[in-house]
Amino acid sequence: MRQLQGMDASFVALETRNSPMHIGSILIYNPETAPGGFVRFKDILSFFESRMQLSKTMRQRLVKVPFDLDYPYWIEDPDFDLEYHVRHIALPEPGDWRQLCIQAARIFARPLDLTRPPWEFIVVEGLDNIPGVAPGSYAMVTKVHHSAIDGKSGVDLMEVLHTLDPNAPPPSEPDTWKPERIPTGPELLGKSYMNAVTNPLKQLEVAAKAAPGLANAIKGLAAKDFSVSREMLAPRTRFNKVISSARVVEGRSVPLADIKAIRHAVPGAKVNDVFLAIVGGSMRKYLKSKDDLPDKTLTAMAPISVRSENEKGDMGNQVAAMIAQLGTHLEDPLERLEYVNSKTKNSKAMTDAMGARNMTEISKVSPALYMSLGARLYTSLGIANRMGPPFSTVVTNVPGPPISIYSSGARLESMLGLLCLTDGLGLGHVVQSYVDEATISFTACRKLLPDPEFYAQCIEDSFTEMRDAAKKAVQGGVKAEPVKKATPAKKAAAKKAPAKRKPAAKKTAPKKKPAKRKAAAKKTTTVRKTAKTATRKPKAKK
């Protein structure tokens, strides 16, 4: 029996019917690599059963302390039933991309049963009319409670349920798993009493460890290593309200090489900056079409993994948070990318000064009762409709395997990430890489974002504009030696602009507006009709 940590317990406390706190993905498999080129449902069950001993998550369930006086515990479930957790359905005809997204959204909207190990994998057949998906392929919609895994440990779980060789033999490790007895209420209350006695000492210990980080933050702020500005405060949008229980999911797949190439248009830009700028462009397009775009930039909470190598495979969350500005007030894609890059550098400097690990450790000593009561009051009083949001959306970057992996012998072709939502956060994004593909997917409240196909098109258009602008900038020789406080566009304009004359005495020369880059012509992203881009949606007929 092992007790949850503070952040893990917060996801249990936030769990409501409208806000199920699980994360997951849509995985698409091609069975051509499996024996006989076909995978049966019982093959999937057999494959999972043979690998249960490799995971610490799959057979553990939660036990809550009475009255939420302390954090819940993990125990080995004495009633574990694999066939409850792995299920099988099929899409009705015609079996297209839209139907898969609707079915995945319905599955994802349903809360998990927290009296069982908190995960479900739903096998979905009938993908007969999705361009790029090979005949006989199937999907798997996964759901795992956020108290059990974060993005990084989710990748570790993927490794457990996949192999590098389609013909890999079963693992040689013996299965020594044993179920545990479910503890009684009085036993749990006794443990909570002991924890209540020792918790103040733990709080003092964490505070002592956090003090140097706070001092570094104050010192860095005084030395102007980073700054704190009003831009970090998110404006209210339609996505920052009380959410419903209904969900929509969608996404787009793009070449990973294009994402890597875009960053070269702005010196010092990272791949994550490119993803953030693309999401900023898509939110700008969507909100502008609804006449609801704030003048101030929107922000995103970007999780940062602080999981060490010796914690690989451990359950729970080892993450800190960074606030990133998305540059939604900027129309030019490269100006937006440069803006995002400069702001993420500032946020990273602040996070490094405070110590990302310390930020995570502080959450582990929050009183469980107050955490639970606070979560319930936030939901029941509809506070999300009255207060400004801490951030506009979430953009989590989950690097996937750079090589193909297999489950039950079938090759994984594509993967889209899915997120949990809560009041005040009605839209979340997952950006993910796998082999040579990058996917940008989103989960949203259907009440706040009723047109997911349009928002998916906004993502595609934002990517296309940024790709074309970056290609034009690099090919035009704009990329040169980095110059501080000058964008590639401004440098190019400065070369073409005539030299300014000195103003006459006692006269003020009129200020010249910087030349603006001509907007790149819109192009529609070409849908790669290959198995590697199975997540793309077919274009609507005109």
Side-chain angles (χ1 to χ4, degrees), residues 293-314:
L293 179 67
D295 295 331
K296 186 180 175 184
T297 179
L298 302 184
T299 65
M301 190 275 280
I304 304 171
S305 176
V306 296
R307 187 176 296 271
S308 61
E309 283 299 320
N310 60 358
E311 291 173 322
K312 184 175 181 180
D314 282 0

Side-chain angles (χ1 to χ4, degrees), residues 309-362:
E309 283 299 320
N310 60 358
E311 291 173 322
K312 184 175 181 180
D314 282 0
M315 296 172 59
N317 292 262
Q318 296 291 346
V319 294
M322 178 185 77
I323 301 299
Q325 288 88 354
L326 296 175
T328 51
H329 61 302
L330 298 171
E331 182 176 4
D332 185 278
L334 291 191
E335 286 185 12
R336 189 185 318 119
L337 176 57
E338 184 179 40
Y339 174 84
V340 168
N341 173 241
S342 65
K343 296 303 179 181
T344 53
K345 285 180 179 177
N346 182 75
S347 296
K348 286 177 182 177
M350 186 186 307
T351 302
D352 291 342
M354 295 181 66
R357 186 77 188 199
N358 286 338
M359 294 166 64
T360 304
E361 293 298 323
I362 290 173

Side-chain angles (χ1 to χ4, degrees), residues 50-59 156-157 159-162 171-173 175 313:
S50 70
R51 305 180 70 81
M52 286 290 102
Q53 69 271 26
L54 303 180
S55 170
K56 296 180 180 179
T57 306
M58 307 299 281
R59 294 182 285 198
D156 295 339
L157 182 60
E159 292 178 359
V160 168
L161 299 178
H162 292 79
S172 57
E173 293 89 339
D175 189 356

Side-chain angles (χ1 to χ4, degrees), residues 178-233:
K178 293 181 180 180
E180 288 184 87
R181 179 181 62 85
I182 298 176
T184 64
E187 288 175 330
L188 294 172
L189 288 173
K191 286 180 175 292
S192 69
Y193 176 79
M194 294 302 299
N195 289 337
V197 171
T198 59
N199 194 53
L201 298 176
K202 294 178 182 177
Q203 291 176 333
L204 289 173
E205 182 181 357
V206 170
K209 291 180 179 179
L214 183 60
N216 288 337
I218 296 172
K219 183 179 178 181
L221 192 61
K224 296 184 178 180
D225 294 335
F226 53 84
S227 61
V228 178
S229 66
R230 289 191 172 184
E231 290 177 324
M232 291 184 175
L233 301 176

Side-chain angles (χ1 to χ4, degrees), residues 221-296:
L221 192 61
K224 296 184 178 180
D225 294 335
F226 53 84
S227 61
V228 178
S229 66
R230 289 191 172 184
E231 290 177 324
M232 291 184 175
L233 301 176
R236 181 181 292 278
T237 70
R238 62 176 54 212
F239 304 125
N240 308 119
K241 300 177 181 179
V242 171
I243 63 173
S244 70
S245 61
R247 296 290 181 269
V248 291
V249 302
E250 250 282 14
R252 287 294 183 266
S253 169
V254 300
L256 181 58
D258 285 355
I259 297 292
K260 293 180 177 179
I262 290 171
R263 65 189 177 96
H264 294 303
V266 173
K270 307 294 184 183
V271 167
N272 197 48
D273 298 332
V274 176
F275 281 126
L276 289 169
I278 291 173
V279 169
S282 62
M283 294 188 73
R284 173 187 170 85
K285 289 178 180 296
Y286 185 87
L287 292 174
K288 190 174 182 180
S289 73
K290 308 294 183 183
D291 196 24
D292 193 26
L293 179 67
D295 295 331
K296 186 180 175 184

Side-chain angles (χ1 to χ4, degrees), residues 393-451:
T393 186
V394 169
V395 181
T396 178
N397 188 346
V398 184
I403 59 174
S404 294
I405 56 177
Y406 305 83
S407 182
S408 306
R411 183 175 62 243
L412 176 63
E413 298 286 10
S414 192
M415 55 200 303
L416 269 79
L418 306 176
L419 278 178
C420 53
L421 305 176
T422 187
D423 285 343
L425 178 65
L427 172 65
H429 304 78
V430 178
V431 295
Q432 201 159 22
S433 61
Y434 173 60
V435 192
D436 59 356
E437 130 181 299
T439 54
I440 305 172
S441 58
F442 64 90
T443 308
C445 166
R446 191 175 68 194
K447 182 180 73 173
L448 304 182
L449 197 152
D451 44 1

